[in-house]
Amino acid sequence: MTMIHYLPVANRSSQHPSSSGWLHRLSDHVAARYAAWRREKMLRALEALPPETLKDIGWPTTDNSRINVARR
């Protein structure tokens, strides 16, 4: 016999209580800024790698002496 339990999924709805709506917007903004900072940190780390290592991990090659990462 197989027993399946469904756990409630906590999802964030687009409708926040009006008294704490600013807090949700602030936390979303902070989360987005943190994600952007982590992405930039990762790209800087990749740019610091030597070209041979980038080639080994499958990074696209460039003709420039300095490797520039295309940012979104």
Side-chain angles (χ1 to χ4, degrees):
M1 174 186 229
T2 303
M3 296 182 71
I4 299 174
H5 297 279
Y6 292 101
L7 299 175
V9 177
N11 61 0
R12 295 177 69 170
S13 66
S14 61
Q15 297 175 349
H16 301 295
S18 60
S19 61
S20 63
W22 67 270
L23 186 59
H24 290 286
R25 287 192 307 273
L26 177 64
S27 66
D28 289 344
H29 176 72
V30 170
R33 296 283 296 179
Y34 180 70
W37 175 77
R38 297 257 327 191
R39 186 172 43 252
E40 289 295 320
K41 182 178 173 184
M42 181 192 64
L43 289 174
R44 284 192 305 270
L46 280 172
E47 286 179 340
L49 292 174
E52 296 82 19
T53 305
L54 291 174
K55 181 181 174 187
D56 290 343
I57 63 173
W59 197 260
T61 59
T62 62
D63 294 327
N64 300 339
S65 61
R66 176 163 167 76
I67 298 171
N68 295 317
V69 177
R71 291 186 168 86
R72 292 182 184 184

